[in-house]
Amino acid sequence: MYNIEDKKIFLKERLSKKRYIHSVNVSEESVRLARLYGADAERAEFAGLMHDVCKELPAQEQYSLAVESGFSVCREELESRSLLHGIAGAYFIKKQFGVEDIDIINAIRFHTVGRAGMSRLEEIVYLADLISAERDYKDVDKMRKLVYSDIEKAMLESFRFSIESVLKKGGFIPVCTIEGYNFYMRFCKKNH
């Protein structure tokens, strides 16, 4: 159903070489994590591949897709160019490819900002994006180890990392990100 090879051709024509390689890497990482954590590898492969489908569109086009989507979108997301592509991408795959699987739509929609109560597929794409093969930020190897040993602790740590990173850059933090951090903090305190 997802025609991965067709989608790779589609993305290769649409994205820069660097972004295309990243998308393939996230897709491959998503498959590995899906197998490890008992999620559907085919759906993970597709969501991982398509997560940045709208990343390189002009800002106004991303904004228009986000507004047109009808998704619940907070003001901070609409005011942050770097956050629009997840919303736009989720709507794009629904509109362009007829994807109705809410789990895949949400995995793309929330791959940058996260949220409370993410499904396993959403967590996988979120983390795969953070640790994909070309990532080389400080402590990426520690994050990779954590992702492969405890997905909930990895989610908490990734929210912490993301929030600290945005604060350093002076950006907006969406409400769903704060709620996601609090959700995983509660979960980890209760279960670890």
Side-chain angles (χ1 to χ4, degrees), residues 8-24:
K8 284 182 178 177
I9 292 165
F10 176 82
L11 288 178
K12 210 170 204 171
E13 293 169 357
R14 184 180 177 90
L15 301 175
S16 65
K17 185 177 180 184
K18 182 180 176 183
R19 180 69 43 200
Y20 173 76
I21 290 167
H22 168 69
S23 297
V24 171

Side-chain angles (χ1 to χ4, degrees), residues 136-177:
D136 62 357
Y137 58 86
K138 185 180 177 292
D139 293 333
V140 69
D141 289 330
K142 271 198 223 169
M143 185 65 82
R144 287 183 179 122
K145 281 182 190 160
L146 187 56
V147 168
Y148 276 87
S149 63
D150 187 328
I151 196 165
E152 283 85 13
K153 278 187 180 174
M155 286 301 298
L156 177 60
E157 188 54 40
S158 67
F159 273 103
R160 189 178 285 133
F161 172 82
S162 175
I163 291 167
E164 286 174 1
S165 178
V166 172
L167 289 174
K168 283 179 188 165
K169 294 176 189 168
F172 292 113
I173 300 174
V175 173
C176 61
T177 304

Side-chain angles (χ1 to χ4, degrees), residues 88-161:
Y91 181 58
F92 180 87
I93 64 151
K94 185 177 180 175
K95 195 169 113 173
Q96 186 78 20
F97 302 129
V99 174
E100 293 294 332
D101 184 327
I102 193 64
D103 217 12
I104 290 174
I105 291 168
N106 281 340
I108 293 170
R109 159 67 178 100
F110 292 103
H111 82 269
T112 304
V113 295
R115 68 182 182 110
M118 293 173 86
S119 71
R120 185 63 80 202
L121 181 64
E122 289 175 74
E123 292 171 340
I124 284 168
V125 174
Y126 182 87
L127 292 170
D129 187 26
L130 194 62
I131 65 163
S132 64
E134 82 290 345
R135 297 288 194 196
D136 62 357
Y137 58 86
K138 185 180 177 292
D139 293 333
V140 69
D141 289 330
K142 271 198 223 169
M143 185 65 82
R144 287 183 179 122
K145 281 182 190 160
L146 187 56
V147 168
Y148 276 87
S149 63
D150 187 328
I151 196 165
E152 283 85 13
K153 278 187 180 174
M155 286 301 298
L156 177 60
E157 188 54 40
S158 67
F159 273 103
R160 189 178 285 133
F161 172 82

Side-chain angles (χ1 to χ4, degrees), residues 37-52:
Y37 289 112
D40 184 307
E42 187 182 12
R43 290 164 71 226
E45 182 179 31
F46 177 79
L49 185 65
M50 301 306 291
H51 80 286
D52 274 352

